[in-house]
Amino acid sequence: MLWGRKQSTLISEGLDTPNLPPPQSLNMKKLTGILFLCFALLSLVSCTKDIVDTTGTINGTVVDSRTNEPLQGVTVSISSVGNKVTGTDGTFEFVNIEAQTYTLSLSKPDYQSDTKTVTVRAGETTQVQYSLTPSTSSLSVSQTKLDFGNDVTNLSFDISNPGYAALTWQIAEDCAWFSCSPSSGTVQAGEKTAVVVTVNREGMERGNYSQTLVVSSNGGSATITVNMAVQGISVSVTPSELDFGSVTSSMQLALANNGSAPVSYSITLANDWVSVNKKSGNVTTAENIVVSVDRTGFSEGDYSSSLTVAFGKDEVVVPVRMNVPTKSKPIVNMLDVRDITYSEAKFMGSVVSIGSSKVTQLGFCWSTNEEPTIDTAQYCTLGDTESAKDYDYLASGLEAETTYYVRAYAINVEGTSYSNQMAFTTNGTPKKAEVETGSVSNIQPTQAIVAGNILSIGNVEQIDQFGHVWNTTGNPTVNNSKTELGATSMTGSFNSTLTGLNPNTTYYVRAYATNSVGTSYGEAISFTTIKDAVSVVTNEPTEITHNSAILNGTISSDGGHTIVEVGFYYSQIKDFTIGNATKLTVSGTPSHFSYNLTGLTEQTVYYIKAYAITDTEEVFLGSQVPMTTLNREVTIDKNDYGDDLNWN
């Protein structure tokens, strides 16, 4: 029995006891292993060690990258080994160095230093060839030709250094009609600089010019061809004739130089009643000459003269004409009065004709008396004019609700003229708008429609906002709930839809309107919203067993009703009516209520509806929710039975 227990223990630990060897068999295997180890050790002792080569050689050549010729005097360094210097044939050699990868450094005066990587293999010679680049500068220009044409003054080109040393350069300027900036400098390796070339055509004759520009440096030289053309004198005079008419006293004569160099000019006048502000000068691009006429002492009629503009040997003759009219006053017209408020109005007038001379003063005069003049009424001064024109003025400081008379006027040396008269009346002083509250219609549980009427906007341009205000306490204002129907400049009726109301609730509402003066209200009226349906929610049952469950319900809205009873109906009939269902009443009328239903049948489907009853005996039901009871559970304690009972 004892052996049997040990065997059972070994089986539970995963050991195969029937295959274990007897003790004598184990001792023989150990002895065999020891003898084998001894023979192996004797074999190792009797072996002879081989000699292995672990070094190699680097044999290299260094050449010039441009000529591919051998370079003498190049220092080749390996930090862990030492230095070698190339001979006349450009070669170097490192002998018997350990097999591995090395970094070689190559350097020589006036050459770019370099590093290379080479791998040495045991017992082999590694052949390598390297090249070094000379450290020299190099000159390069971006253009070989600059063409200035007829009118270009400045062009540029770049000097670049694609070499490896600083480039020092200079330009020899031996041409009188162009210059370079800068004319010398230094460009570092890999960089560039710009040179601006400027030409000067002044004093040069018409024709084509060409010259070469030479850039010399320590990195070579370059030649750039510079071309330029000179058109010569090309001046225009506009207008071709100056006609001053009967009122104009000054005009402009424009001189335009289309050439490439400044041109001198002089002006000669044929009569002394014609004058200019400048008789000579130089025209580079454009020049404006002011030409004036003086009609003083002249009788009525037409007069002719001329002026001559000379450009060297070239001359341009410009005819000059003027008229001395019959002496007369200006003619003015009153056009309109606009934008009338309680204190302002915009006057609009016109000078139809300035008469026989310049208008020295124009404007409007206005008064509460008819036929106002600048001597008897308020007036404004708006400057002068030498031609007919329209003009306007915003008069302020007017009295509200007052009738005014306004005329336009204009003055020249012959006297003052007045226009036709216009009358206008200012608006009343701004005040609040006037509104009235209309009736309430289409009353629902949560909304209603209210009418209103705008009687007056209040002597201002517009109402900024209007609508209705409401609350449940009385005399609502814009700080309570309100509709906003926007801005308007019109009177008349309007409607507002009041939303977000509570069922079976009394509200107070009135119309309102806000303008720049303030907010006005209509009379407050009241109305009561109608009741809504009670919102009953049947929630999912909880703690379901084979014969019981907790039923749950919620009143999410009472709809304005007084609820006197809540509870549940349940039945095994789907879509049941309360006439064929069992009623369960919950104590009180909480908004969240539950009922512990017992005595149910296991594995059976029941249908539940929450309900609420109001003080008017109206019944409101929630939606139907199905529920299935569970299987009956049997609990057995194995300790209550003997050890010989088999359990599944």
Side-chain angles (χ1 to χ4, degrees):
M1 291 299 295
L2 180 62
W3 182 91
R5 291 194 188 97
K6 179 67 176 179
Q7 184 182 39
S8 174
T9 301
L10 291 175
I11 290 172
S12 66
E13 296 176 357
L15 299 178
D16 190 2
T17 54
N19 293 329
L20 291 174
Q24 299 82 354
S25 176
L26 290 172
N27 291 336
M28 288 300 296
K29 286 187 178 181
K30 289 181 179 179
L31 180 61
T32 304
I34 293 171
L35 292 175
F36 179 79
L37 180 61
C38 291
F39 282 118
L41 292 173
L42 289 173
S43 299
L44 290 173
V45 171
S46 63
C47 292
T48 302
K49 180 179 179 181
D50 293 332
I51 297 175
V52 179
D53 192 354
T54 63
T55 64
T57 299
I58 301 174
N59 192 321
T61 303
V62 183
V63 299
D64 187 302
S65 64
R66 296 179 304 176
T67 64
N68 209 34
E69 294 294 327
L71 277 180
Q72 182 182 5
V74 178
T75 300
V76 184
S77 303
I78 299 177
S79 61
S80 61
V81 176
N83 301 332
K84 300 292 182 180
V85 179
T86 59
T88 56
D89 58 354
T91 62
F92 66 92
E93 188 174 46
F94 291 92
V95 181
N96 295 329
I97 60 177
E98 289 297 321
Q100 64 181 45
T101 298
Y102 294 94
T103 299
L104 280 65
S105 299
L106 296 87
S107 62
K108 176 179 171 63
D110 299 328
Y111 280 82
Q112 296 288 313
S113 298
D114 200 0
T115 58
K116 302 292 182 181
T117 301
V118 62
T119 300
V120 176
R121 294 181 175 81
E124 296 182 8
T125 296
T126 302
Q127 299 286 344
V128 294
Q129 177 172 313
Y130 304 122
S131 62
L132 291 182
T133 302
S135 297
T136 58
S137 60
S138 178
L139 172 68
S140 175
V141 295
S142 61
Q143 299 186 59
T144 60
K145 184 178 180 180
L146 297 175
D147 194 344
F148 288 84
N150 295 319
D151 50 12
V152 178
T153 302
N154 297 312
L155 291 174
S156 64
F157 66 92
D158 293 333
I159 295 177
S160 303
N161 178 13
Y164 298 93
L167 175 74
T168 302
W169 59 273
Q170 55 279 329
I171 300 173
E173 297 185 6
D174 56 358
C175 180
W177 52 270
F178 75 76
S179 60
C180 300
S181 179
S183 59
S184 63
T186 300
V187 182
Q188 299 300 322
E191 297 183 359
K192 65 181 180 179
T193 188
V195 176
V196 178
V197 181
T198 303
V199 298
N200 182 9
R201 298 180 177 86
E202 187 173 358
M204 300 187 69
E205 296 182 358
R206 182 191 299 269
N208 296 319
Y209 295 82
S210 182
Q211 184 63 271
T212 56
L213 181 156
V214 179
V215 183
S216 57
S217 72
N218 60 343
S221 61
T223 300
I224 299 174
T225 302
V226 181
N227 297 326
M228 177 188 72
V230 179
Q231 287 184 325
I233 298 175
S234 178
V235 181
S236 61
V237 179
T238 54
S240 59
E241 179 180 279
L242 295 172
D243 189 348
F244 289 83
S246 59
V247 294
T248 303
S249 58
S250 64
M251 298 180 69
Q252 281 194 346
L253 189 69
L255 311 181
N257 181 6
N258 299 317
S260 55
V263 177
S264 60
Y265 69 91
S266 61
I267 299 176
T268 304
L269 304 173
N271 297 90
D272 58 3
W273 54 269
V274 182
S275 63
V276 292
N277 67 327
K278 190 175 183 181
K279 286 190 174 184
S280 63
N282 293 318
V283 184
T284 301
T285 55
E287 183 91 354
N288 289 324
I289 307 298
V290 178
V291 183
S292 303
V293 295
D294 184 4
R295 298 182 178 85
T296 304
F298 284 79
S299 59
E300 300 175 9
D302 295 324
Y303 295 85
S304 297
S305 183
S306 66
L307 60 82
T308 302
V309 185
F311 305 100
K313 298 179 182 180
D314 298 331
E315 293 183 347
V316 177
V317 178
V318 180
V320 179
R321 296 183 175 85
M322 75 170 182
N323 174 263
V324 179
T326 302
K327 295 181 180 181
S328 61
K329 295 180 181 180
I331 300 174
V332 289
N333 186 25
M334 189 69 200
L335 300 177
D336 197 6
V337 179
R338 297 181 181 177
D339 303 331
I340 301 171
T341 68
Y342 70 99
S343 63
E344 294 181 340
K346 184 177 182 180
F347 305 150
M348 305 187 69
S350 173
V351 176
V352 179
S353 170
I354 66 171
S356 58
S357 62
K358 173 183 175 180
V359 169
T360 57
Q361 182 177 320
L362 58 88
F364 299 93
C365 54
W366 62 95
S367 172
T368 56
N369 297 319
E370 295 193 39
E371 304 298 326
T373 69
I374 58 176
D375 298 320
T376 63
Q378 288 182 281
Y379 69 94
C380 62
T381 300
L382 303 178
D384 56 19
T385 183
E386 293 184 350
S387 60
K389 63 181 253 185
D390 294 339
Y391 61 98
D392 58 65
Y393 177 74
L394 181 63
S396 59
L398 305 178
E399 295 293 331
E401 298 183 6
T402 302
T403 299
Y404 285 89
Y405 303 92
V406 59
R407 295 199 294 179
Y409 76 91
I411 302 173
N412 68 5
V413 295
E414 303 304 323
T416 304
S417 297
Y418 293 94
S419 73
N420 54 308
Q421 174 180 276
M422 278 192 174
F424 67 94
T425 301
T426 53
N427 297 334
T429 304
K431 58 184 179 181
K432 293 181 181 180
E434 295 180 23
V435 292
E436 64 180 3
T437 308
S439 60
V440 183
S441 62
N442 195 25
I443 300 174
Q444 300 295 322
T446 59
Q447 69 177 35
I449 296 176
V450 187
N453 189 24
I454 298 175
L455 302 176
S456 168
I457 65 173
N459 290 335
V460 293
E461 290 186 358
Q462 66 173 25
I463 289 175
D464 300 319
Q465 192 63 258
F466 70 101
H468 287 87
V469 293
W470 69 92
N471 63 16
T472 59
T473 58
N475 292 322
T477 69
V478 291
N479 296 321
N480 301 126
S481 300
K482 63 179 180 291
T483 60
E484 293 183 327
L485 303 182
T488 182
S489 59
M490 305 293 291
T491 60
S493 60
F494 62 92
N495 290 318
S496 293
T497 299
L498 281 53
T499 59
L501 307 180
N502 293 320
N504 195 31
T505 302
T506 298
Y507 286 92
Y508 300 89
V509 61
R510 57 180 176 172
Y512 79 95
T514 302
N515 63 12
S516 58
V517 179
T519 301
S520 59
Y521 298 94
E523 181 182 359
I525 61 174
S526 65
F527 69 96
T528 302
T529 54
I530 64 175
K531 296 179 181 179
D532 200 359
V534 177
S535 179
V536 183
V537 179
T538 307
N539 299 318
E540 292 291 332
T542 57
E543 300 183 26
I544 302 172
T545 69
H546 69 288
N547 65 351
S548 66
I550 302 297
L551 307 186
N552 301 294
T554 301
I555 304 298
S556 60
S557 172
D558 61 14
H561 294 270
T562 299
I563 298 175
V564 297
E565 182 182 318
V566 296
F568 301 91
Y569 285 96
Y570 77 97
S571 173
Q572 295 183 27
I573 302 172
K574 186 178 181 181
D575 299 327
F576 64 86
T577 62
I578 60 176
N580 56 13
T582 301
K583 180 180 178 182
L584 305 171
T585 301
V586 176
S587 176
T589 57
S591 58
H592 298 276
F593 51 96
S594 301
Y595 189 93
N596 186 8
L597 177 61
T598 60
L600 302 176
T601 304
E602 63 178 314
Q603 282 189 293
T604 301
V605 178
Y606 292 89
Y607 299 94
I608 300 101
K609 294 180 183 179
Y611 77 86
I613 300 176
T614 70
D615 58 348
T616 57
E617 297 184 354
E618 292 182 82
V619 179
F620 296 91
L621 298 175
S623 59
Q624 176 178 277
V625 174
M627 176 192 71
T628 303
T629 54
L630 304 180
N631 288 335
R632 177 182 178 84
E633 295 181 353
V634 179
T635 302
I636 301 175
D637 190 345
K638 66 180 180 179
N639 295 323
D640 294 339
Y641 298 87
D643 290 340
D644 57 346
L645 181 66
N646 291 324
W647 295 90
N648 183 10

